[in-house]
Amino acid sequence: MLIKQSEDFKASEVTPESIYRERRRFMQGTLGIASGAALLGGAGLLSPSARAIATDPDAKGEELRYVIESELSTDEELTSYDDITRYNNFYEFGTDKGDPKKHSRRFKPRPWSVSFSGECEKPGVLDLDDVINPHQLEERIYRLRCVEAWSMVIPWVGVPLGPVLERFRPTSKAKYVAFTSVLRPDEMPGQKRSFIDWPYVEGLRIDEAMHPLTLLTVGLYGRVLPNQNGAPIRLVVPWKYGFKSIKSVVSIAFTEDEPPTTWNIENAREYGFYSNVNPEVDHPRWSQKRERRIGFFSKRETLMFNGYADQVAHLYEGMDLAKYY
Amino acid sequence: MNGERRRSGGVARTGPPRWLKPALFAAALIPFGYLAVGLLADGLGANPVETITHVSGEWALRLLLLTLLVTPLRRATGLTWLVRLRRMLGLFAFFYVVVHFTTYALLDAGLDLAYVVEDVLDRPYITVGFVTLCALVPLAATSTDAMIRRLGGARWRRLHRLAYFAGAGAVLHFLWLAFSKSDLREPLIYFAILVVLLVARLPAVAARLGRLAPRRVAAPARADPPPPSPAKRQAAR
Ligand code: HEM
């Protein structure tokens, strides 16, 4: 079936982009998720025939195929590919914003496997393709708000995390999901220094992990995720500060207790487990009321839950967000 | 004061090489030039405001520490004319602090006074930065020959010991800021330099440094006139 489909899709190579997109929607409508066949990597997805929606003349890397638009995308002006890929917090490659781009060239994002373990019925270690392929790739244009009071608008490509997690049949004890980044000091010079207890770890409550906004991300601007942005697979949780969106994930575990998270271990007073974007709760060393959108000079107001309050506020009903920051 | 001494001393040997001051002046403007050109040419990276804050802050700190290096270096080398470079270094340090603070006030705070006041009161690293800035203002204001004369050497010198306080404040400001990133390497380097500079001022150490000076050790036979009267010199720093 997959082969047949990709033959079918070859037609798009000679189809103007707009028609191609229309057809994608049609396919999606008729075949639903099954049509996804979102092959990533070797098999076929990386052939140059398909286009994601957002483009940037500076964008590099292999194009992802069979990407559909999402209702959950914002229509705000996109941050440039250049800025998204040269201004990064990814301490595994160094603490300066420019370090990840400079020092991530030797990093090898393939082959890659992800282990799923803990409180679930079907644990397993899967190749990246097998994690992603059964699902439909979507472009999700999200705001990203860094805890350092800057923000971007990024066209991610990925699959919703929830359906991926369901495949491993989490049990009723699965109250949280713990994520772990890769540990490769030889390829990640920042990990040679022990100022952080590597590897980087993060966590979500299970309902946060299952939320439709939570994206398991493999690309941006329609292309394979660059190393400096967390290749080959990262989390994107748009209503939380950027550091919650853990990069280069190798392990996902269902847990009963709240898992430890790197920045909370480093500095519990400044970084909590939840770390929801919240203009009312300041970081001890700076205000969170405003943010600088990269590409703009003056600051703008920061929105509650980074503007996703309508979708996520109910997750935190009755919680004191100043206490659970 | 420089002018005065040149007139009374009169000999080229006691002054810095003629090219040195203009060269230093030009060199101290390089970071500013980089920022100005970068700003116009969109060359300051993804977050130009942050780049300006960082570059101006770091050069303010470096120039401040260089200013503090002058006296120990003079002691160790015997090159008294080094002191004549100090005012320029100090004023450039102040210049970069002004750029730094103006960027913050204009582009971080959006000229919102309440925002600045809240920051200064609530955020220790800003508090420290602000106190440091306040300490540098009287130093810059009393840097003219006329002010030195008006204050008198001793009082002027006492006032200008604030420079050490400012150096410590600037290092603390940077340390505090870097603490959130768990990466203290860079500010710790400045901290180490500051400690060395402070230690070099301890009377015992200062005396030893003085003995290093080639002028006294290596050239006893030269019939130089004694250096200008100690009371007139800014030596105590
Ligand atoms: C009211 C006074 C001041 C304010 C509001 C202020 C504000 C700031 C801000 C906002 C940053 C950048 C924070 C960030 O990266 O997130 C910074 C960094 C810095 N400031 Fe200041 N500052 C002040 C005074 C000073 C003074 C007097 C000096 C030195 C003489 C100084 C030296 C530095 C240095 C070295 C950095 C670090 C640059 C880097 O990270 O590379 N600041 N300051």
Side-chain angles (χ1 to χ4, degrees):
Chain A
M1 182 191 167
L2 292 186
I3 293 166
K4 195 159 176 249
Q5 268 201 0
S6 49
E7 273 173 5
D8 189 25
F9 270 90
K10 275 197 183 126
S12 67
E13 287 177 14
V14 291
T15 311
E17 193 191 359
S18 55
I19 298 173
Y20 172 74
R21 276 200 239 154
E22 289 305 312
R23 220 159 77 86
R24 281 300 315 148
R25 281 200 204 99
F26 170 73
M27 297 293 297
Q28 189 199 3
T30 51
L31 300 173
I33 293 292
S35 84
L39 307 182
L40 177 74
L45 196 72
L46 295 180
S47 102
S49 66
R51 280 262 154 69
I53 287 83
T55 54
D56 185 310
D58 294 328
K60 292 184 198 63
E62 291 170 283
E63 285 183 23
L64 293 163
R65 296 172 67 196
Y66 313 146
V67 181
I68 61 167
E69 281 177 285
S70 166
E71 300 276 297
L72 295 167
S73 288
T74 170
D75 54 9
E76 284 164 86
E77 185 182 333
L78 298 178
T79 305
S80 73
Y81 180 87
D82 213 25
D83 283 349
I84 295 172
T85 55
R86 69 175 169 167
Y87 190 78
N88 307 98
N89 276 327
F90 196 174
Y91 284 11
E92 280 84 340
F93 294 115
T95 50
D96 274 357
K97 298 281 190 297
D99 284 344
K101 180 170 181 174
K102 264 185 255 161
H103 301 313
S104 64
R105 295 213 185 94
R106 269 192 303 148
F107 182 74
K108 291 193 226 37
R110 288 283 183 157
W112 195 270
S113 53
V114 184
S115 117
F116 293 81
S117 63
E119 307 291 348
C120 62
E121 288 167 20
K122 296 185 158 182
V125 178
L126 270 70
D127 186 80
L128 179 56
D129 288 339
D130 301 324
V131 176
I132 299 297
N133 284 352
H135 306 272
Q136 169 66 57
L137 280 182
E138 294 179 39
E139 178 180 71
R140 295 277 183 95
I141 304 174
Y142 283 159
R143 290 175 289 275
L144 172 109
R145 170 61 156 80
C146 177
V147 72
E148 298 168 342
W150 53 266
S151 63
M152 295 183 176
V153 178
I154 305 182
W156 301 110
V157 178
V159 302
L161 176 65
V164 176
L165 295 183
E166 297 287 7
R167 285 162 55 199
F168 303 91
R169 304 267 174 84
T171 67
S172 59
K173 278 188 176 168
K175 304 262 168 40
Y176 294 89
V177 185
F179 303 84
T180 309
S181 282
V182 72
L183 180 66
R184 287 191 197 166
D186 288 341
E187 294 174 34
M188 302 177 123
Q191 288 183 338
K192 293 216 169 91
R193 298 177 50 231
S194 54
F195 64 109
I196 280 174
D197 189 14
W198 306 113
Y200 195 92
V201 289
E202 257 306 336
L204 294 173
R205 226 167 50 190
I206 189 85
D207 54 346
E208 298 174 325
M210 294 292 179
H211 192 280
L213 282 171
T214 304
L215 196 71
L216 205 48
T217 304
V218 294
L220 66 84
Y221 268 108
R223 290 159 188 267
V224 165
L225 211 52
N227 287 349
Q228 64 267 35
N229 293 85
I233 183 168
R234 64 171 291 170
L235 194 65
V236 173
V237 194
W239 71 93
K240 292 174 179 283
Y241 292 121
F243 66 87
K244 292 293 291 182
S245 294
I246 185 171
K247 305 185 181 86
S248 305
V249 175
V250 292
S251 159
I252 298 179
F254 301 95
T255 66
E256 191 167 11
D257 300 318
E258 185 184 289
T261 60
T262 288
W263 281 106
N264 183 249
I265 296 168
E266 287 299 311
N267 196 335
R269 198 174 67 90
E270 299 189 356
Y271 307 104
F273 175 79
Y274 285 94
S275 291
N276 293 314
V277 175
N278 187 343
E280 305 303 321
V281 178
D282 283 348
H283 185 280
R285 261 168 301 107
W286 55 83
S287 165
Q288 296 292 27
K289 287 190 188 65
R290 287 186 247 176
E291 66 199 48
R292 173 168 297 116
R293 178 72 49 86
I294 296 304
F296 296 81
F297 262 94
S298 53
K299 291 194 161 183
R300 64 183 66 208
E301 303 290 319
T302 287
L303 304 174
M304 189 64 201
F305 296 115
N306 200 23
Y308 298 99
D310 286 350
Q311 291 104 312
V312 301
H314 69 274
L315 298 175
Y316 309 102
E317 234 155 40
M319 268 175 71
D320 178 356
L321 294 175
K323 188 171 166 218
Y324 297 99
Y325 52 91
Chain B
M1 194 160 189
N2 292 346
E4 244 173 78
R5 204 182 309 148
R6 189 161 296 141
R7 254 177 273 123
S8 56
V11 256
R13 172 174 81 243
T14 63
R18 210 176 276 154
W19 53 268
L20 189 57
K21 265 191 152 180
L24 205 60
F25 189 92
L29 275 175
I30 289 174
F32 183 75
Y34 164 78
L35 292 177
V37 172
L39 195 61
L40 296 177
D42 196 16
L44 297 181
N47 193 344
V49 178
E50 186 183 71
T51 306
I52 298 172
T53 309
H54 285 181
V55 171
S56 59
E58 286 197 24
W59 280 100
L61 174 57
R62 285 172 191 159
L63 286 159
L64 197 54
L65 294 180
L66 268 179
T67 312
L68 297 178
L69 175 68
V70 166
T71 296
L73 202 62
R74 192 214 69 217
R75 287 210 180 97
T77 60
L79 298 172
T80 44
W81 53 258
L82 280 171
V83 174
R84 296 198 196 163
L85 303 174
R86 193 168 56 192
R87 168 162 47 186
M88 190 166 76
L89 290 171
L91 284 174
F92 265 116
F94 185 68
F95 170 72
Y96 281 104
V97 168
V98 170
V99 172
H100 186 68
F101 180 71
T102 308
T103 309
Y104 162 85
L106 210 65
L107 295 168
D108 267 345
L111 282 184
D112 178 351
L113 191 66
Y115 180 102
V116 177
V117 170
E118 191 192 316
D119 251 9
V120 168
L121 294 180
D122 284 4
R123 309 189 202 292
Y125 90 94
I126 301 269
T127 314
V128 172
F130 188 74
V131 170
T132 307
L133 173 70
C134 293
L136 287 171
V137 170
L139 300 191
T142 57
S143 66
T144 60
D145 290 342
M147 282 308 288
I148 297 168
R149 244 177 277 123
R150 249 177 76 185
L151 281 170
R155 267 165 72 200
W156 186 91
R157 274 200 302 277
R158 226 179 302 131
L159 177 67
H160 277 242
R161 284 194 195 129
L162 265 179
Y164 283 93
F165 175 81
V171 169
L172 184 63
H173 172 68
F174 195 179
L175 269 172
W176 216 312
L177 169 69
F179 189 68
S180 71
K181 305 182 178 174
S182 289
D183 188 359
L184 298 177
R185 278 180 304 175
E186 229 187 305
L188 280 177
I189 292 170
Y190 291 109
F191 179 73
I193 294 171
L194 178 77
V195 168
V196 169
L197 291 174
L198 290 175
V199 167
R201 253 188 68 82
L202 296 175
V205 181
R208 276 180 179 240
L209 279 179
R211 263 175 261 140
L212 287 177
R215 216 178 175 195
R216 295 186 201 162
V217 181
R222 264 164 69 190
D224 273 359
S229 89
K232 281 201 86 178
R233 290 170 34 180
Q234 311 168 11
R237 291 174 67 203

